Amino acid sequence: AADSTVKSVQKRGYVQCGVTTGLPGFSNPDDKGKWQGVDVDVCRAVAAAALGDANKVKYTPLTAKERFTALQSGEIDLLSRVTTWTITRDASLGLNFTGVTYYDGQGFMVSKELGVKSAKELDGASVCIQSGTTTELNLADYFRQNGMKFEPVVFDTADQTAKGFEAGRCDVLTSDQSQLYALRIKLSKPDNAVVLPEVISKEPLGPVVRQGDDQWFNLVKWTLFAMVNAEELGLTSSNIEKEKKSKNPEVQRFINGEGSKALGVPGDWAYQIVKQVGNYGEIFESNVGASSPLKIERGLNALWTKGGIQYAPPMR
Amino acid sequence: MPSKKKDLAKGRTAFWNDPEKRSMLYQIIMLVILIICGAYIISNTLHNLDSRGIKTGFDFLWSEAGFGINQSLIEYDESHSYGRTFFVGLLNTILVASLGILLATILGFTIGIARLSNNWLIAKISAVYIETFRNIPLLLQIFFWYFAVLRPLPRPKQSIELFDVFFLNNRGLAMPAPNILEGFGWVLLVFALSLIVVIGVKRWAKNRQDTTGKGFPIISVSLAIMLGLPALTYLFVGSPIDWEVPTLRGFNYRGGITVIPELLALLLALSVYTAAFIAEIVRSGILSINKGQTEASFALGLSRPKMLKLVIIPQAMRVIIPPLTSQFLNLVKNSSLATAIGYPDLVSVFAGTTLNQTGQAIEVIAMTMAVYLTLSLLISLFMNWYNKRIALVER
Amino acid sequence: MSNEVQQNLMAISDEIMVEMRSVNKWYGEFHVLKDINITVRRGERIVLCGPSGSGKSTTIRCINRLEEHQTGDIIVAGTPLTNDLKNIEVIRREVGMVFQHFNLFPHLTVLENCCLAPVWVRKMPKKEAEEIAMNYLKRVKIPDQALKYPGQLSGGQQQRVAIARSLCMNPEVMLFDEPTSALDPEMIKEVLDTMIELAEDGMTMLCVTHEMGFAKTVANRVVFMDGGQIIEENCPHEFFNNPQSERTQLFLSQILQH
Amino acid sequence: MSNEVQQNLMAISDEIMVEMRSVNKWYGEFHVLKDINITVRRGERIVLCGPSGSGKSTTIRCINRLEEHQTGDIIVAGTPLTNDLKNIEVIRREVGMVFQHFNLFPHLTVLENCCLAPVWVRKMPKKEAEEIAMNYLKRVKIPDQALKYPGQLSGGQQQRVAIARSLCMNPEVMLFDEPTSALDPEMIKEVLDTMIELAEDGMTMLCVTHEMGFAKTVANRVVFMDGGQIIEENCPHEFFNNPQSERTQLFLSQILQH
Amino acid sequence: MIQSDKKLPDLPPPRRSDGAFGWIRANLFSSVTNTLLTLLAVYLLYIGLVPLIQWAFIDASWVGETRDDCAVGGACWVFIKTRLNQFVYGFYPEELYWRVNWVFILFGVLITLLIAEKTPYKKWIVIFTLTVFPIITFYLVYGGAFGLEVVETHKWGGLMLTLILAVVGIVAALPFGILLALGRRSTMPVIKTFCTLFIEIWRGVPLITVLFMASVMLPLFIPEEIVFDKLVRALIGIVMFQSAYMAEVVRGGLQAIPKGQYEAASALGLSYWKMMGLIILPQALKLMIPGIVNTFIALFKDTSLVLVIGLLDLLAIVQAGLADAKWAGYSVEGYVFVGLVFWVFCFGMSRYSQALEKKLDTGHKS
Ligand SMILES: Nc1ncnc2c1ncn2[C@@H]1O[C@H](COP(=O)(O)OP(=O)(O)OP(=O)(O)O)[C@@H](O)[C@H]1O
Ligand SMILES: Nc1ncnc2c1ncn2[C@@H]1O[C@H](COP(=O)(O)OP(=O)(O)OP(=O)(O)O)[C@@H](O)[C@H]1O
Ligand SMILES: [Mg+2]
Ligand SMILES: [Mg+2]
């Protein structure tokens, strides 16, 4: 009965975006309160596409356990909060995952002095973990499968989890690997902690929207694809102005905003994304990659052309 | 005033002037408004649920939970159902709340009485205690205690040991757990018997005290009987309990019972905080007792502690109970802050992880609120009953 | 009747039960008791009277240390009243006190009220204490109320329970602080009668009261206080018929007119 | 003086101001008022007396619906007292009431106490209400206290304010429920004097009181109640000197002895 | 037998001959138990206070900009100092602090005027505080009129947010509380039942579940078109919760008004609402002030719970600051600071309410 989300976002003038309560590299307020990170840039990209202005976003910090309720209830338009794509979530929570912004896997971080080299040695360990995550489920599976015991110590937020780990409440902190790196730099002595090599699960992280609004779903989905495609096409925030004159038909289609009618957004939507936010590679590098404190390798998240699995359907 | 008589003839009361009919009307209006509001909310909710593709229902309670919980009073592991997580959380809430009530009451009464001590230093320290702890948010205190408890405790390898069976470290306090073997029934039987004996001895001792005035060391004797006889039987039937002593294996002590530090910290925070309020209640309850009662007790030669015990506190209880009840209720509700430090209470386990894994917000929140309402109601009922029982008999 | 009672009264022994020697007391800066000297012998019955605020209550409350005096000596049944808790304890056992507002313990039955101190202070067996209590309750004529609570009794009955409660400790001296002034007129008599009986049995009594009839009937001496001092002290006959001081005369004229 | 006042009083008209016809009232199962019949004519002054708990207060509180009666009719100044809020409102405007405990509004000054009802119930302009109030305050002899708060006045002064407050509504009938019994003896007179003056001015009054002097001085009739019934009703002279019923005699003997 | 007929002089009380020593003896060592207790207390104070003072003052570092300026072993107040603005204003734009400051100043002045004994026109100040002041505050803090730039609520935080939540919560809860209390005392069964249920249900559930509901579930219950700000939703939750508590305070106040006041008012012909508005509530409200202040203290402390729904109140913003790797390891200082701020506010208020209670106790005899 009501407007589609695209319409109501445009009427309202901003995108309501659910993010974490603070996870460096993904969504974290700096000391001025300005939000930064990959997830935040996704929100900004959606705003750039829908409204032409990447700054028209309101962030709602959510704990892991609030996030789906907040999305279901309509409090937020878009959940961009390191959320793992699983079948239950996709199929039975009334939600739709729009794609994968980051291919992750669950790992372990231990304190160096324990001298543990492999996750297989963790029998009987206390594990700090964030509540309401797939991590919580994977962990149980992994230990059960390997016939090991563990004691879960469950916290509400990433910060608290790190605090608990630091205070020695547990031997291991488990989370998605990217987050482990992010949390590690929050420790007072980051060098005392090591991330174990094992990856025990697939954690494709991506933005989520409510089911039943295909236009909005498509917009978010194609915002992601646009960013990947831009990287593939070599379009960056600095060169896209110049590339406007490019002869490459693919670039032209990109800049002219193929599909804008159906998505219900302005014609330069893809251009605005790259112009104001950047392409996927840029976002990755500046937030979690080499030019960030996290220094995470591209790995799986490299373009399919470069040995990774980031692949976007063509824009035509 | 004949003019008045005319238009106010009896029996022709306009219905809005008849208080009964008027109140009827008000109530009907109120009901209608309530029903409309209710219907509006429900229809909105249904519509919203539908348009957002959320399925409702309690089926999820029977599906496998798949996550671990680090403290459970009933058997639980990942393969149990979400429904069971509800009971795990519920029991954990009840555990911390009831221990908290017990501790807070003891501490609160002690400090409330100490506040009135004629030792200047003690009175002042109690005052400082009260003013400090009741004026700082509980959440902050919970964080404080958590880190205050965690920080000085060693890692498991360097545990503080007591008698080689208790081990204290930052994973908690590991204690031996009893494994009951065959023959233990005898011990229980003897224990029951010794209870009966003790009751008999108590009767006899009271009788003797009443008739001859001679006291009898009833407490030590009954303790001896209650502990000694079963202990002898225990040895006689060949120690039918296998104490499972925790041992350090891998990262931590295995086996036995572990009291996790979250429980300890939460318990400390809740009881220290609530005790400050209870102390004030106790103090004002005591002060509300007429000065004449104190004077009469002194005039009879009672000492101060006896006066408090026999005369003042029993009377002050009447004044204390109602506000004490609301402190108990507050404590139960405040135990929900457990979630801040990861103690697996109802809010943390059920309204937290389970809600999140299943996405059934309405059902889960409704069940959680119902639990707190029920707990509150039970406590109120009990305290009201108790208060009635101790009410003064008057003409 | 006056004579009759006076004749029935037992002789006064020479033993001094209460002695106050130049006692002074201040409330903060306010000088309430000025140089009070009172001697009470065993078996004596003394009535204290005087206008409101003259320090009567304060005087008798000093005797069992409900108030602390600052200078002067108070000696009760041979024990000097000092800061020593032991002495205070001893004295309080020997001295019974009855208050204007009864001050019964409302959460205990009449019998329990009476037994409380014997059991907990004198460590008497409960059975024995109850027997004694019943005896005294009979004496104040309310044995049938023993199992009721104070709240269920009339004011006069309550005051009689208070008297019985004090008697249960078997005190050497009884202090009364306006025992009838909170009572309705019909009840005053029953309490006064109880007190008169007590006097007939030879109890040493120190009694603050405005009941001049009682003073005439049983007192050996009447002490008149005003402004924190003792103005006049005399046997009742002289005191009422031939008051010496002007202030006494004024007081008597006011109180007897009433 | 009695005769003098009686002579000064204005004649009683035939107009019936209050009529109670076989009024019955129960509190739960307890039958408090049994078949009460009272007729008060304009200018009449009636004193209700009787032992405590006999239902005097209840009777007069029924007249302005502070209590609801269950059977029988009450007609006040021509208006029948029914469930009709309009009627109740009309009656309350015509009937002033003075309580034992004054019930002044402690958060308002004396003047505001007096003006409240005229302004809010009679919708009188504030100026006018204040003028009237000052008039009545003069009449009860405390115009100089107008700006004080009730808490700053003595009991007697408070009761006179309460009377003035009622008068400000210009009532046809005044009800008094033991107006002097919460007062110290010195103050009783000032309130009684005010009431006597009011009577002299011809106010219709229904008064529950134990002040027999007042009854003798101003009452046209004395009504004696016991156990919820009217036992006897007579002019004061007959009532006091020649009581008919035994219960009246007993009551009088108790109350006059006091 | 005249003892003395002349009036003896009033003498000054004897000075304690034993001075301070006597005081100590009487108050600390009057008996064996007392002596033991005193010694125990002194010992506890010694092991508790000495390290605390050492840490908080003697070894503490006060000046500097970064963690390197902090000495080891003592408190590092530098952390608090560098972050103080954020702790007070949250992420409110720095150049607009003056707007918040004006509100603080105005609020302080109004409160002082209200608390002071002899302020003239107190009634008008109360009305101003309850009506005009909130509007001024709204436009100053939020903006959006008179050429003031809008500052979104998600930028609000710190002490400012804590105060806003608490003050708005209590002020808005008062009218609801009064209605609920009147309803609960009503003789009409439907209204009475509704109000009783409403009050008891809200009082029976924990605030964090209420906040959780308000923050994520409220949109489920209202039409999709209506959107509330997150802060507003938290406030709705707090107000609902608080009005139930307020209703009980009001009910207590109403019960303390003697029956005679109702009777006198009815006898004068006042209708129910006039009686309530003119006679009963003005008196009851005065009696309720201590209760209201106590509720306010409770609410003020409870505002810290909004951190579980992601609002950055004082406690949350300090915690966020603690998460900054640059300052890792100074959490104790952070918590001590928050504790101290809350304590100062709550202690001040509780003293005020105690003083009021005492005044009412002695001053209400009429
Ligand atoms: N605790 C106290 N602090 C200060 N002054 C007091 C205290 N108790 C009594 N007073 C004052 O001491 C004086 C004597 O009081 P006391 O009660 O002994 O008088 P009283 O002769 O018993 O009078 P009454 O007949 O009214 O009982 C009075 O002026 C009284 O106001
Ligand atoms: N609200 C009530 N509920 C039940 N019984 C009541 C109530 N009010 C009064 N009564 C009873 O009704 C009877 C008459 O009361 P009422 O106050 O009219 O007596 P009264 O003649 O005015 O006595 P007093 O001289 O003591 O004022 C008494 O027995 C009283 O206990
Ligand atoms: Mg006295
Ligand atoms: Mg009466």
Side-chain angles (χ1 to χ4, degrees), chain C residues 53 55-58 61 100 177-178 208:
Chain C
K56 310 176 297 291
S57 301
T58 312
R61 290 157 61 88
Q100 181 179 4
D177 191 358
E178 309 202 21
V208 174

Side-chain angles (χ1 to χ4, degrees), chain A residues 129-203:
Chain A
I129 189 170
Q130 204 184 332
S131 120
T133 52
T134 42
T135 335
E136 224 180 327
L137 306 177
N138 297 333
L139 177 74
D141 280 354
Y142 181 76
F143 276 79
R144 194 153 34 141
Q145 187 186 332
N146 287 299
M148 302 192 295
K149 289 236 169 308
F150 72 104
E151 181 203 13
V153 185
V154 182
F155 294 94
D156 242 6
T157 62
D159 278 343
Q160 286 170 0
T161 317
K163 276 262 159 50
F165 175 70
E166 200 168 16
R169 175 61 183 96
C170 33
D171 309 293
V172 195
L173 190 161
T174 185
S175 188
D176 296 350
Q177 286 230 325
S178 61
Q179 297 189 33
L180 292 180
Y181 288 104
L183 290 177
R184 199 169 82 113
I185 61 167
K186 278 197 169 188
L187 301 179
S188 52
K189 297 194 188 82
D191 297 336
N192 284 356
V194 288
V195 176
L196 297 180
E198 277 94 344
V199 174
I200 64 167
S201 69
K202 290 186 289 187
E203 305 283 338

Side-chain angles (χ1 to χ4, degrees), chain B residues 1-261:
Chain B
M1 259 139 266
S3 61
K4 270 175 204 159
K5 225 178 261 170
K6 247 182 275 158
D7 50 302
L8 292 170
K10 207 179 164 187
R12 273 193 48 224
T13 312
F15 92 98
W16 59 85
N17 277 333
D18 184 328
E20 267 172 43
K21 290 183 186 141
R22 195 146 98 170
S23 91
M24 212 58 187
L25 181 71
Y26 284 150
Q27 299 189 57
I28 290 173
I29 293 175
M30 180 85 183
L31 262 184
V32 169
I33 292 177
L34 280 180
I35 290 173
I36 290 177
C37 282
Y40 180 69
I41 290 176
I42 290 173
S43 87
N44 267 322
T45 313
L46 290 180
H47 169 81
N48 287 341
L49 288 176
D50 185 50
S51 74
R52 286 155 203 182
I54 304 170
K55 287 187 276 301
T56 52
F58 287 92
D59 297 343
F60 72 96
L61 289 176
W62 280 268
S63 31
E64 187 186 283
F67 60 91
I69 300 174
N70 64 342
Q71 178 190 296
S72 170
L73 298 182
I74 49 177
E75 195 192 337
Y76 174 84
D77 64 44
E78 306 80 66
S79 57
H80 282 107
S81 65
Y82 284 124
R84 198 158 180 105
T85 65
F86 171 76
F87 288 106
V88 172
L90 175 59
L91 287 175
N92 283 341
T93 289
I94 292 177
L95 174 74
V96 75
S98 44
L99 288 179
I101 285 177
L102 191 72
L103 275 182
T105 311
I106 295 171
L107 195 61
F109 270 79
T110 315
I111 291 176
I113 291 169
R115 176 86 177 74
L116 295 170
S117 160
N118 43 21
N119 183 315
W120 183 86
L121 200 56
I122 295 288
K124 281 289 171 275
I125 289 180
S126 313
V128 170
Y129 172 96
I130 293 171
E131 292 302 350
T132 311
F133 287 106
R134 70 175 188 162
N135 285 323
I136 294 177
L138 175 60
L139 190 59
L140 186 62
Q141 296 192 37
I142 290 180
F143 286 130
F144 173 79
W145 283 114
Y146 189 42
F147 292 109
V149 164
L150 273 189
R151 199 174 265 196
L153 291 178
R155 292 185 163 269
K157 293 231 167 65
Q158 291 91 40
S159 289
I160 303 164
E161 291 179 24
L162 266 176
F163 315 119
D164 282 340
V165 288
F166 294 99
F167 304 94
L168 185 64
N169 54 48
N170 58 17
R171 303 296 140 75
L173 175 67
M175 299 184 291
N179 258 340
I180 291 158
L181 305 177
E182 211 180 332
F184 189 71
W186 287 110
V187 181
L188 283 184
L189 190 71
V190 170
F191 182 70
L193 281 178
S194 65
L195 269 186
I196 295 170
V197 172
V198 163
I199 292 171
V201 169
K202 213 168 193 169
R203 283 248 174 92
W204 171 81
K206 186 169 167 350
N207 216 0
R208 194 170 86 137
Q209 149 107 48
D210 287 354
T211 47
T212 66
K214 280 193 202 120
F216 185 76
I218 182 72
I219 292 178
S220 37
V221 168
S222 23
L223 269 181
I225 295 174
M226 272 192 310
L227 297 178
L229 287 184
L232 280 177
T233 326
Y234 176 79
L235 294 176
F236 186 72
V237 293
S239 309
I241 290 190
D242 184 13
W243 287 99
E244 186 189 319
V245 177
T247 50
L248 185 66
R249 257 189 295 151
F251 293 89
N252 200 354
Y253 284 86
R254 299 263 188 101
I257 302 172
T258 308
V259 181
I260 57 175

Side-chain angles (χ1 to χ4, degrees), chain B residues 209-210 213 292-293 295 298 310, chain C residues 61 92 104-105 107 125 127:
Chain B
Q209 149 107 48
D210 287 354
Q293 296 289 315
E295 289 180 348
F298 281 152
L310 297 169
Chain C
R61 290 157 61 88
R92 282 185 177 160
L104 293 179
F105 305 132
H107 61 300
K127 270 268 161 53

